[in-house]
Structure formats: C-alpha cells, structure tokens
Amino acid sequence: MLPIRVAVIANGHGLVLDHCVFYNCQNPVVFWNAQDGTSYHNAMRYCLVYEANYSGVWTTDQTGDDFEFHHNVIANSRTAWIRDNNSTHHYQIHDCILANNMKTTGNGGDNAINNDFLKMENVQLSGIVEIEKDQGRKNYLQLKEGSFGSKLQAGLFK
C-alpha cells in the first residue's frame, strides 16, 4: 500500500480533529480555505502524528489566528508544522510534543523557517517518542504506555 498523501483537507469553518492517529501519512492534515476568506474555529487536539513524510500539520494563509492546537504529539516526521508561504497568521499552541522531526517548522517551498509564528507554552521539542508496533497489543499504533508523552493522552480514545 502507498502512504496516504493527505488524510484530511479541512475546507471551511469549524473542523475539529480530536483524538486521531496519523501514521506514515505524507501530510496528515491541511487546514485549507474557507468561503469568503479566512477560516475560523478549526482545531487539532489530542492527535498523534508519527512518521509524516512531509508535514504533521499544514496551515494556509486562510487559517485564522483562532486555530486551536493542543495536546498533540508530532514525532519522527520531516517537518512538524508547515505554514503557507503567504501566511502572516500566528498561533498559540500548548501542551504538545514536536520532537525528533527533521525540522520543527517550514514553508510550502520546503524551506526551514523560524517558529516565531507559534507562541508555544509547555511544548517540548526534543525527546524520544515511542509507539506500539505490535499488532497484537490493544494500544497498537498508540503511544507506548508510560512512555514519553503518554500523559498528554494523544491518540484514540481509551
């Protein structure tokens, strides 16, 4: 099977991703356009992104500043967060792990950029994130119990 290119394309207002797992996707989620301009009331929370081939999350120039992002783990990916080249938006994120990625932030041209567009509170940028790869275990493709980041409760509901 080929990896999924884009699992979720959020087009419009009020799309909330809650307790999702994205494993080996190219771009798990892209928060896209909205009719009449800027999209509002979108969120990504309690999600686990592991080994994203391009980006963990991608926001465009139409993703509003009220984008809610917390209790997420993005690890072992190429870039944790890509912001569209034309975007001037800034986002508040908290209680997350963006660790062991080749780049923390980038733009649509695949260039690394500084992360000054992210106001981070309690965000860890280093550490080893472990997921359960034994298909016989009840927490398959979830954070290993008791491992780094498991207290964030990112991943599927238990």
Side-chain angles (χ1 to χ4, degrees):
M1 289 182 60
L2 295 174
I4 295 173
R5 179 160 166 72
V6 180
V8 177
I9 297 178
N11 195 12
H13 304 287
L15 179 85
V16 175
L17 292 174
D18 201 0
H19 288 278
C20 297
V21 173
F22 301 97
Y23 176 72
N24 199 28
C25 293
Q26 186 169 0
N27 294 296
V29 60
V30 176
F31 285 89
W32 205 252
N33 302 337
Q35 191 173 26
D36 301 323
T38 304
S39 64
Y40 294 104
H41 312 299
N42 295 315
M44 183 172 173
R45 54 193 183 210
Y46 297 97
C47 293
L48 170 60
V49 175
Y50 196 83
E51 295 182 358
N53 303 47
Y54 196 67
S55 70
V57 63
W58 187 317
T59 53
T60 69
D61 62 331
Q62 291 189 9
T63 308
D65 291 330
D66 71 342
F67 180 57
E68 180 184 340
F69 190 90
H70 60 83
H71 292 88
N72 297 302
V73 175
I74 300 176
N76 294 33
S77 299
R78 186 168 172 181
T79 307
W81 189 313
I82 287 183
R83 182 174 81 158
D84 192 58
N85 294 337
N86 299 321
S87 181
T88 58
H89 293 285
H90 292 79
Y91 305 103
Q92 294 184 21
I93 69 173
H94 64 88
D95 301 302
C96 293
I97 295 172
L98 308 177
N100 205 27
N101 302 294
M102 290 175 67
K103 297 180 279 194
T104 302
T105 55
N107 67 14
D110 201 27
N111 298 313
I113 59 174
N114 63 33
N115 58 10
D116 64 349
F117 69 95
L118 298 175
K119 181 180 178 196
M120 297 187 218
E121 182 180 323
N122 195 28
V123 175
Q124 297 182 39
L125 301 177
S126 62
I128 303 300
V129 174
E130 297 177 274
I131 64 168
E132 182 58 64
K133 292 191 178 179
D134 180 351
Q135 292 183 26
R137 303 289 304 252
K138 69 177 182 174
N139 62 330
Y140 175 60
L141 294 184
Q142 302 295 304
L143 294 171
K144 284 188 175 181
E145 293 179 20
S147 71
F148 173 63
S150 61
K151 291 184 180 182
L152 289 178
Q153 299 181 355
L156 301 178
F157 289 106
K158 297 182 179 171

